[in-house]
Amino acid sequence: MAAGKTGGLKRYYDLNGWLFIAPSLLLIAIFLVYPILRSLYLSFFSGKGMMMKFAGFGNVARLWNDPVFLQALKNTVTFFIVQVPIMITLALLLAAVLNNDKLKFIGFFRTAIFLPCVASLVAYSVLFKSMFSVDGVVNSGLLAVGLIATPIGWLTEPFWAKVLVILAITWRWTGYNMIFYLAALQNIDKSIYEAARIDGVPAWARFVYITVPMLKPVILFTTIISTIGTIQLFDEVYNLTEGRGGPANATITLSLYIYNLTFRFMPSFGYAATISYVIVIMVALLSFLQFYAARDRS
């Protein structure tokens, strides 16, 4: 009798549990699972609407003959290789400096560095475009100190356009990563540093051989989320170049190209879906390599 009652209660609580999470599962199915399956289905077709026809792996073959895709892939990889190490290193150094409670106005500096990542994307894009225009404050300052002889075309020259995008991403997201490092640094036992200091270990050695190894999980986490964000880079390029990825596709990324194929140019949903899976493969591969490189070899 007791066993039957216990079994009935278990079924009751199991049912209640499923009913509780059912709305969340429904939303996940609608907004995550279905788009993934739908995009996979579309990747085997070409054209749009009623004109769509089965293409098999034709979209995959098209990738390697598409100069815009190859340029977008090159730009995306370039941004990843250059920007992620800069942002991770800068965030770690800033966190180490701002982990000193004796520093004056420490709250102000922490807030000022973190603020860009919660600022309006449109506002900060307008600010950057104004600062880095031909007659903007950046060129005026560089001319005033004699570092350049003529104004730099930050938005009109391919090399400097890439530099501007990297600066914009770094400025916006360094503070976000810094917060993770600050939280981790404040959880390291101070007695470890005290013991090393008593043994005569210099400050730089304490940072390299104590701080960095103990931050390894956080460094891995921030590297992976920064990698994902950079591979999917869209907002900064779209706002700075007005969706063109210019000049001459010098800053176009895979995500921006997908957007243009879907909403701006002659729609090609199947081809855009195929490129989206290139991003998926890149993120999965790079994340695996980072986990593998950071594995515990002991």
Side-chain angles (χ1 to χ4, degrees), residues 131-145 148 150-154:
M131 290 173 56
F132 287 89
S133 62
V134 174
D135 58 349
V137 64
V138 174
N139 275 334
S140 298
L142 293 175
L143 286 167
V145 298
I148 58 175
T150 57
I152 296 174
W154 295 96

Side-chain angles (χ1 to χ4, degrees), residues 179-250:
I179 293 298
F180 290 104
Y181 293 130
L182 269 175
L185 285 169
Q186 291 170 2
N187 284 321
I188 297 177
D189 190 351
K190 299 297 187 292
S191 63
I192 300 175
Y193 292 110
E194 187 63 29
R197 192 179 297 108
I198 292 172
D199 288 340
V201 180
W204 69 267
R206 293 197 298 270
F207 179 78
V208 172
Y209 296 110
I210 297 177
T211 302
V212 173
M214 297 192 75
L215 292 180
K216 185 177 177 181
V218 182
I219 293 173
L220 176 62
F221 170 75
T222 54
T223 302
I224 289 175
I225 63 172
S226 298
T227 296
I228 294 172
T230 305
I231 297 300
Q232 296 178 337
L233 180 61
F234 174 83
D235 294 340
E236 287 79 2
V237 177
Y238 179 86
N239 282 279
L240 289 173
T241 67
E242 299 178 357
R244 296 190 299 269
N249 290 329

Side-chain angles (χ1 to χ4, degrees), residues 30-98:
I30 294 173
F31 295 107
L32 182 63
V33 177
Y34 173 74
I36 291 174
L37 297 178
R38 179 65 177 172
S39 63
L40 181 61
Y41 170 80
L42 287 174
S43 67
F44 291 100
F45 289 82
S46 61
K48 66 169 184 172
M50 300 297 294
M51 302 299 293
M52 289 185 66
K53 59 181 181 179
F54 183 74
F57 290 99
N59 286 325
V60 177
R62 178 182 170 185
L63 291 173
W64 313 114
N65 297 313
D66 181 359
V68 180
F69 166 77
L70 294 177
Q71 182 64 43
L73 179 63
K74 178 183 175 182
N75 292 340
T76 301
V77 172
T78 300
F79 290 139
F80 161 70
I81 293 174
V82 176
Q83 188 266 333
V84 171
I86 292 174
M87 184 169 61
I88 295 300
T89 303
L90 185 59
L92 180 56
L93 294 175
L94 287 171
V97 172
L98 295 178

